[in-house]
Amino acid sequence: MQLHVSPSLRHVTLMPGKDVREFIKVRVGPRWASYRMLFYSLLFFAFLVRFTFVLSTVDAIDGDHSKCSNIGCLGKRIGPKILGRRIQSHVPEVIYRILDEPVGEDEVQGKSDLPQTLQDFMAQIKESRSDAKSFALKLRQMVLLLEQRARKAKIQEYLYRHVASSCIPKQLHCLALKLANEHSNNAAARLQLPSAELVPALIDNSYFHFVLASDNVLAASVVATSLVKNALRPSKFRATPPAVIEVKALHQFDWLSKGKIPVLEAMEKDQRVRSKFRGGSSAIVANNTEKPQVIAAKLQALSPKYNSMMNHIRIHLPELFPSLNKVVFLDDDIVIQTDLSPLWDVDMKWKVNGAVETCRGEDSLVMSKRFKSYLNFSHPLIANSFDPNECAWAYGMNIFDLKAWRKSNITRTYYHWLEQNLKSDLSLWQLGTLPPGLIAFRGQVRVIDPFWHMLGLGYQENTTLSDAETAGVIHFNGRAKPWLDIAFPQLRPLWAKYINFSDKFIKGCHIRAP
């Protein structure tokens, strides 16, 4: 048999033998389907498959599955399927299984051989040449031990801060005692403030009126001093060189002695429910299941501030000052750094409360507060009544239109929801007067510029001194009050500069500049 192939590879002739005249003639297809083209195609395809497989393997080894080249991703999807292979995880399944197992309460109790640091852990693993299971067990135990220690340290920090912020510093206690002694022994200290000729100015609506409720003499003095020193229109709240200041105790308000006072009843019930519901700071700290942040919130709820008459009295401003049409309410932990006269020029647009919103600022820690930050939306009564994303606003520097307030049902609404919270064992919200205030003043808030109220100087240290100096009013809301040793040192001078450290009572109680 003879085989003849033409030079062009287009014709193949097959001859059975010499004596056979018949022959078979095969005509191959056109040039584009030649054997040479077929050979090159197979060669290229084999190279492409190998190239795709190599790329997919490199991407898998690299470990970053969120990023890969287009060809590499194609190799991941197609290469392993063509080759009948599946990319396997680099972490043995036994490690996943052990780390996913439920945590036992006493898993690391009494074990003294657990590594304390990552360096100790690596040394033990290298020395024992552990398998994957032993590696996972040792890693799990070390992490659990460190988690327990970190949780305990965090809770201790919250407890110490709670104690430090709730106690009265000895310097302030000394000041209160010395002033009380002066009031008893010095007739001049018992003179009426203000003097009789200045009393008419207290009910004259042509003056600017500021209200401060506090039982902290030093803090109140800083607010008053900073207010007067930064005033550019003093004639609007001064009748003579000194500012007209009235100092009254709660028992001097006739309104508080008439019949049943809702705020006093609410405070009494609130105190009884808190004592029964929370069980004190020792019981809160002893809880081994709750997160440190939850424990911190419960400790904060025990703060005397939240059970103080001074904190609740603001809801009764229209009754306390029946002759006034408009006031600016100030907390005792603020410092005024500019003239507040322009606040009287703010058009309230028939709203009752002029306040800074706390959901639109650049500071995500302070200015990200909405209703869901204060109210418990897992409770159906709250969830069915309010929008969790509604913007919150700040107490502490507020313009109150008392004339418009008297025509509203704000105070009744406030006490209605306070009663609902008491009936639900404080499950609607846990602390403070702001949550019921958010509810009571809904639809009655006139938003003012954030310049007038910078918050958070008492619970976070992200605010710099230069930033704080640009605000009209700064607020040390939070535990780190400026009169406490736990105050942030870089911010405390903004408050301390309004204290007269040469005063004999200040010097006598060893209150010193920071």
Side-chain angles (χ1 to χ4, degrees):
M1 181 181 292
Q2 297 180 6
L3 177 65
H4 295 277
V5 180
S6 67
S8 65
L9 295 177
R10 295 187 62 194
H11 297 87
V12 178
T13 303
L14 183 63
M15 301 183 64
K18 274 185 182 180
D19 300 330
V20 181
R21 294 182 180 180
E22 295 84 13
F23 59 91
I24 302 173
K25 189 174 184 179
V26 179
R27 180 180 178 86
V28 183
R31 181 180 296 273
W32 58 267
S34 65
Y35 287 130
R36 182 182 298 173
M37 183 63 66
L38 182 61
F39 173 78
Y40 288 146
S41 298
L42 290 174
L43 184 62
F44 176 79
F45 182 75
F47 172 80
L48 180 62
V49 170
R50 174 169 293 195
F51 180 74
T52 303
F53 173 74
V54 169
L55 281 179
S56 66
T57 305
V58 169
D59 278 338
I61 294 174
D62 185 59
D64 187 0
H65 300 291
S66 62
K67 299 178 181 179
C68 60
S69 61
N70 291 335
I71 300 179
C73 289
L74 180 65
K76 284 184 182 180
R77 293 192 297 267
I78 301 177
K81 293 181 180 179
I82 295 176
L83 299 173
R85 298 181 61 182
R86 184 167 58 89
I87 298 176
Q88 300 292 332
S89 170
H90 288 268
V91 181
E93 190 66 28
V94 65
I95 295 181
Y96 284 134
R97 186 173 65 253
I98 291 175
L99 295 180
D100 280 340
E101 289 177 356
V103 177
E105 295 183 2
D106 56 348
E107 185 168 336
V108 295
Q109 295 294 329
K111 294 188 176 182
S112 58
D113 61 335
L114 293 179
Q116 306 297 308
T117 64
L118 179 61
Q119 186 177 4
D120 294 341
F121 172 76
M122 293 304 299
Q124 287 189 19
I125 293 299
K126 290 179 179 178
E127 182 179 352
S128 61
R129 298 187 179 275
S130 304
D131 56 12
K133 182 177 181 180
S134 301
F135 173 88
L137 286 172
K138 187 71 71 174
L139 175 63
R140 172 190 170 94
Q141 291 172 351
M142 187 188 76
V143 171
L144 288 177
L145 177 64
L146 295 180
E147 279 186 350
Q148 290 180 4
R149 289 182 175 177
R151 181 183 183 277
K152 183 178 180 180
K154 201 70 178 176
I155 291 174
Q156 289 297 319
E157 176 193 353
Y158 289 140
L159 178 61
Y160 296 151
R161 283 185 172 272
H162 165 68
V163 173
S165 63
S166 300
C167 297
I168 301 175
K170 62 181 181 180
Q171 294 90 342
L172 293 186
H173 185 61
C174 168
L175 182 62
L177 292 177
K178 283 186 175 293
L179 291 175
N181 182 66
E182 183 75 8
H183 185 269
S184 300
N185 298 326
N186 188 348
R190 295 193 296 272
L191 293 177
Q192 179 184 356
L193 286 177
S195 58
E197 64 270 17
L198 297 179
V199 169
L202 299 176
I203 57 174
D204 188 343
N205 282 293
S206 65
Y207 288 93
F208 298 155
H209 297 273
F210 299 87
V211 176
L212 169 65
S214 176
D215 54 6
N216 186 328
V217 176
L218 186 63
S221 71
V222 170
V223 177
T225 302
S226 63
L227 171 64
V228 173
K229 282 191 173 182
N230 290 289
L232 298 180
R233 294 161 66 183
S235 61
K236 282 295 185 178
F237 61 97
R238 293 186 196 178
T240 60
V244 180
I245 299 177
E246 181 184 30
V247 179
K248 296 186 73 172
L250 288 176
H251 67 272
Q252 294 177 289
F253 287 98
D254 295 336
W255 172 81
L256 282 172
S257 61
K258 295 178 180 178
K260 293 183 177 181
I261 308 303
V263 67
L264 298 178
E265 293 181 344
M267 285 176 60
E268 183 180 350
K269 293 178 182 178
D270 182 67
Q271 188 174 14
R272 187 165 58 248
V273 173
R274 286 177 190 272
S275 176
K276 178 182 177 182
F277 182 61
R278 302 193 181 280
S281 58
S282 59
I284 293 174
V285 173
N287 192 310
N288 293 323
T289 59
E290 290 183 323
K291 295 181 179 179
Q293 292 83 352
V294 176
I295 290 177
K298 290 187 175 183
L299 286 173
Q300 189 176 1
L302 294 181
S303 172
K305 169 186 175 182
Y306 297 111
N307 207 31
S308 169
M309 184 67 173
M310 296 299 131
N311 202 37
H312 291 267
I313 200 67
R314 71 190 77 192
I315 200 63
H316 290 289
L317 289 176
E319 294 93 339
L320 293 174
F321 305 99
S323 301
L324 298 183
N325 295 333
K326 195 174 188 180
V327 299
V328 169
F329 182 86
L330 304 172
D331 272 350
D332 65 359
D333 54 353
I334 70 164
V335 176
I336 298 158
Q337 303 185 128
T338 189
D339 177 33
L340 297 188
S341 300
L343 294 178
W344 261 260
D345 299 328
V346 173
D347 181 6
M348 293 294 286
K349 299 181 179 180
W350 306 103
K351 305 293 186 181
V352 174
N353 179 9
V356 169
E357 283 188 321
T358 56
C359 68
R360 293 187 173 88
E362 296 180 358
D363 190 332
S364 60
L365 182 63
V366 179
M367 305 298 287
S368 60
K369 307 296 185 182
R370 299 181 181 272
F371 271 38
K372 61 185 177 183
S373 304
Y374 301 99
L375 303 178
N376 177 20
F377 277 87
S378 63
H379 195 290
L381 186 59
I382 294 294
N384 296 332
S385 303
F386 308 107
D387 178 7
N389 292 314
E390 188 169 342
C391 193
W393 45 268
Y395 259 152
M397 203 298 301
N398 302 85
I399 312 168
F400 286 122
D401 187 333
L402 301 184
K403 190 175 181 180
W405 190 337
R406 295 184 185 101
K407 297 178 182 179
S408 70
N409 62 349
I410 288 174
T411 304
R412 290 194 300 272
T413 303
Y414 181 92
Y415 281 112
H416 167 76
W417 282 97
L418 209 61
E419 185 68 23
Q420 295 300 316
N421 193 34
L422 292 171
K423 288 180 179 179
S424 64
D425 289 334
L426 306 182
S427 61
L428 304 186
W429 62 85
Q430 290 189 350
L431 52 90
T433 56
L434 181 55
L438 293 175
I439 296 174
F441 285 99
R442 283 185 75 220
Q444 294 287 354
V445 177
R446 166 71 166 92
V447 179
I448 61 177
D449 194 285
F451 165 80
W452 295 109
H453 197 177
M454 175 182 282
L455 297 117
L457 277 68
Y459 68 83
Q460 55 85 27
E461 54 184 343
N462 295 338
T463 304
T464 64
L465 180 63
S466 58
D467 288 339
E469 288 176 333
T470 63
V473 176
I474 55 176
H475 194 170
F476 289 85
N477 57 314
R479 292 191 182 95
K481 301 300 184 187
W483 54 84
L484 299 177
D485 290 337
I486 60 175
F488 300 120
Q490 77 274 18
L491 300 175
R492 195 180 184 200
L494 295 174
W495 178 84
K497 69 180 182 180
Y498 292 104
I499 298 176
N500 180 12
F501 291 99
S502 64
D503 180 85
K504 66 176 184 177
F505 296 106
I506 299 294
K507 291 175 65 176
C509 290
H510 306 288
I511 300 175
R512 298 183 176 89

